[in-house]
Amino acid sequence: MGNLLEQAGRLRPAPENFLSDEQVKAVASGRRDFLRKSFLAASAALAAPVVARATEGDPNILTNPAWTTSLGQPVAARPYGTPSQFESQLLRRESPGLARVGGASVSFCPLQGLFGIITPSGLHFERHHQGWVDIDPSKHRFMVNGSDDSLIKRPKVYTLDELMRMPSVSRIHFVECGANSGVEWANVAVPTVQYTHGMVSCSEFTGVPLKHLLDDCGVDYKKARYVLAEGADGSSMTRTIPMEMVESGEVFVAYGQNGEMLRPENGYPLRLVVPGVQGVSWVKWLRRIEVGDKPYATKDEAVHYIDLMPDGQHRQYTSIHEAKSVITTPSGGQTLLDKGFYNISGIAWSGRGRIKRVDVSFDGGINWQTARLEGPIQNKALTRFNAPWVWDGKPALLQSRAIDETGYVQPSYGQLRAVRGSKSIYHNNAIQSWKVVESGEISNVQVL
Ligand SMILES: Nc1nc2c(c(=O)[nH]1)N[C@H]1C(S)=C(S)[C@@H](COP(=O)(O)O)O[C@H]1N2
Ligand SMILES: [Mo]
């Protein structure tokens, strides 16, 4: 259990971490006089800040800590900033249950410790079919060609410098692997939200609309109804994207992520952004777009990312994510310390547009109440919701249910399994349940 708790990251506030050794000793020996003396000495040495009435007995308010009475670190001590040493548990993690084959693996995003909707770039989940590469941008080329010369007037090869001179867009979008929540089909109750839902992340991406580049190459949109996107890594990642998505202007060739260049793990220096569509189509280390007149049925769409239906048939090209949500705090692996008020917080998203409403339940779906959405609500991006809850110390089942602008309602496991059966891996958007027991411990359960 200790290990699970550690994996859950931000579990309990740990104010004891902030005590100096002296303070710890003083507290242990109950020498209140010592605390008072050092407080007075410290205030005399430094212009005393305005102090509110001290809480009786708490050394954290009765004494001036070292950081108040000494010089701080110089500017640019760390030319590239990193999180506080006290946040070192909040990390991407590989699932103990998932095998790593060569570089092919996945690291999960620690959703339980994040706020708002933007995923810090260093915590963005990773999914590589053949490991990640750090490409020299001066050597990277991006080509646009046609499966047939009649589909395109001017096939071209672009350098990164050329792309970065073009008109750019910056948009916030989620990317979710189609296999997110995949092990839950088999009811393998992984312990934390990091493993149930951690293959979703959300960033502000910057780049050039693919439509602009296809126009530049003189694509014949009457004939060229599909594009094939290809990556430069060793996985031969190739995906078909219907031309309507490109023509809508939403698909873009990105070089920026959260205000800086993409991280190597996320496709530096170029990746495709295909809003609302499963992650596999967001080809990283993008080096080529081919326009064609039919779907390509590549390995990554004929064998992988297909859904085995109850009648034994495979469903193909179901790439758009339906509405989904999850409560991230409190969540599996965490422990409620006491009865009383809790802010229930989570994320919701839909590949079909904006989130319209999120409901939360504390009794496993018998009663629902509407959560508060943090705005502005963005198209095909994570949306943060919050709801108040007073825990009475009795067992509870926490759930959230997203509704998107098309009116689609996130299904229960029972509803999802009635249509999809139990043999799938991909595209699980069922309602997640967290069970709270009297001790305050929270675990992952499925409610049908
Ligand atoms: N070239 C290339 N692109 C790729 C992949 C890959 O292995 N190689 N993995 C895909 C998959 S399956 C997913 S879910 C997303 C993950 O993006 P991320 O690693 O930035 O989170 O990238 C996609 N693009
Ligand atoms: Mo994926």
Side-chain angles (χ1 to χ4, degrees):
M1 196 63 192
N3 194 27
L4 298 190
L5 291 173
E6 180 191 291
Q7 287 169 358
R10 182 187 302 275
L11 283 171
R12 302 158 190 265
E16 63 274 13
N17 286 350
F18 294 95
L19 290 186
S20 69
D21 286 350
E22 263 187 349
Q23 286 169 323
V24 172
K25 273 187 228 138
V27 176
S29 62
R31 274 166 48 215
R32 296 273 321 284
D33 57 338
F34 167 82
L35 292 173
R36 263 198 220 105
K37 226 187 302 169
S38 57
F39 175 72
L40 288 175
S43 352
L46 204 80
V50 182
V51 181
R53 180 186 292 271
T55 305
E56 194 58 21
D58 184 351
N60 287 304
I61 194 72
L62 288 174
T63 60
N64 262 344
W67 54 83
T68 308
T69 56
S70 57
L71 287 175
Q73 301 288 327
V75 183
R78 300 185 300 172
Y80 194 99
T82 50
S84 158
Q85 58 180 310
F86 301 108
E87 299 298 326
S88 62
Q89 282 305 307
L90 199 68
L91 299 168
R92 300 194 274 223
R93 292 178 193 271
E94 288 182 84
S95 170
L98 289 179
R100 195 199 292 180
V101 186
S105 195
V106 47
S107 76
F108 294 81
C109 174
L111 298 174
Q112 69 281 357
L114 301 183
F115 316 113
I117 62 169
I118 298 292
T119 310
S121 300
L123 294 177
H124 195 290
F125 85 95
E126 305 159 83
R127 173 74 180 102
H128 319 303
H129 289 239
Q130 198 51 260
W132 60 274
V133 285
D134 195 0
I135 295 174
D136 178 345
S138 71
K139 300 210 172 84
H140 190 67
R141 298 292 179 269
F142 173 63
M143 179 164 105
V144 179
N145 71 310
S147 63
D148 178 323
D149 282 348
S150 72
L151 303 177
I152 184 168
K153 285 204 190 80
R154 298 173 294 278
K156 279 193 184 179
V157 174
Y158 299 90
T159 64
L160 205 67
D161 286 340
E162 285 163 350
L163 293 173
M164 290 177 78
R165 286 173 59 180
M166 294 183 165
S168 70
V169 294
S170 292
R171 293 181 192 144
I172 298 174
H173 290 300
F174 75 82
V175 49
E176 180 182 20
C177 178
N180 200 19
S181 316
V183 294
E184 301 285 305
W185 281 113
N187 204 357
V188 179
V190 290
T192 66
V193 71
Q194 180 153 14
Y195 297 124
T196 59
H197 289 76
M199 283 199 276
V200 67
S201 291
C202 185
S203 303
E204 184 195 61
F205 292 99
T206 297
V208 184
L210 182 56
K211 174 78 165 48
H212 182 85
L213 295 162
L214 299 194
D215 288 350
D216 191 38
C217 295
V219 166
D220 182 345
Y221 293 102
K222 288 211 184 65
K223 290 193 203 149
R225 298 313 301 157
Y226 296 90
V227 308
L228 179 79
E230 179 187 85
D233 56 324
S235 76
S236 312
M237 173 59 66
T238 38
R239 289 285 303 185
T240 304
I241 292 148
M243 190 62 93
E244 302 90 76
M245 284 188 186
V246 179
E247 287 175 300
S248 78
E250 285 198 353
V251 179
F252 61 100
V253 175
Y255 44 80
Q257 177 183 6
N258 296 332
E260 59 185 359
M261 291 297 286
L262 287 161
R263 293 290 169 89
E265 297 94 313
N266 306 116
Y268 178 87
L270 271 192
R271 94 172 297 168
L272 202 60
V273 169
V274 195
V277 170
Q278 61 178 335
V280 66
S281 293
W282 294 48
V283 174
K284 302 189 278 191
W285 313 293
L286 183 71
R287 72 165 171 204
R288 193 167 72 91
I289 290 282
E290 179 177 299
V291 300
D293 54 8
K294 50 182 177 302
Y296 285 78
T298 68
K299 70 171 169 48
D300 294 303
E301 45 207 18
V303 186
H304 306 298
Y305 299 93
I306 51 177
D307 302 318
L308 181 54
M309 301 297 277
D311 65 359
Q313 301 255 8
H314 273 110
R315 207 173 66 156
Q316 237 185 325
Y317 295 114
T318 44
S319 344
I320 297 179
H321 284 291
E322 303 296 352
K324 187 168 174 179
S325 70
V326 66
I327 294 172
T328 51
T329 27
S331 58
Q334 300 184 327
T335 303
L336 302 179
L337 296 182
D338 205 353
K339 291 176 201 163
F341 182 88
Y342 286 90
N343 180 54
I344 303 293
S345 188
I347 47 175
W349 62 100
S350 167
R352 306 254 178 219
R354 290 181 171 75
I355 289 296
K356 188 168 77 186
R357 202 177 89 209
V358 176
D359 298 329
V360 291
S361 173
F362 308 121
D363 56 13
I366 298 165
N367 294 290
W368 294 94
Q369 71 184 62
T370 302
R372 179 167 49 84
L373 303 185
E374 287 295 326
I377 298 165
Q378 315 257 353
N379 179 40
K380 300 171 188 173
L382 293 188
T383 296
R384 173 65 57 174
F385 63 86
N386 290 287
W389 181 48
V390 177
W391 185 44
D392 57 10
K394 300 202 185 92
L397 278 170
L398 313 183
Q399 296 183 327
S400 66
R401 172 175 77 184
I403 297 149
D404 70 17
E405 64 180 326
T406 71
Y408 176 96
V409 182
Q410 184 182 0
S412 67
Y413 264 102
Q415 290 165 331
L416 187 73
R417 286 185 193 283
V419 179
R420 299 275 307 280
S422 296
K423 301 225 161 51
S424 270
I425 299 171
Y426 304 104
H427 312 126
N428 173 4
N429 68 324
I431 290 172
Q432 170 69 38
S433 307
W434 301 118
K435 185 172 99 180
V436 183
V437 293
E438 280 103 335
S439 66
E441 280 173 57
I442 305 176
S443 59
N444 173 14
V445 292
Q446 271 189 27
V447 173
L448 293 177

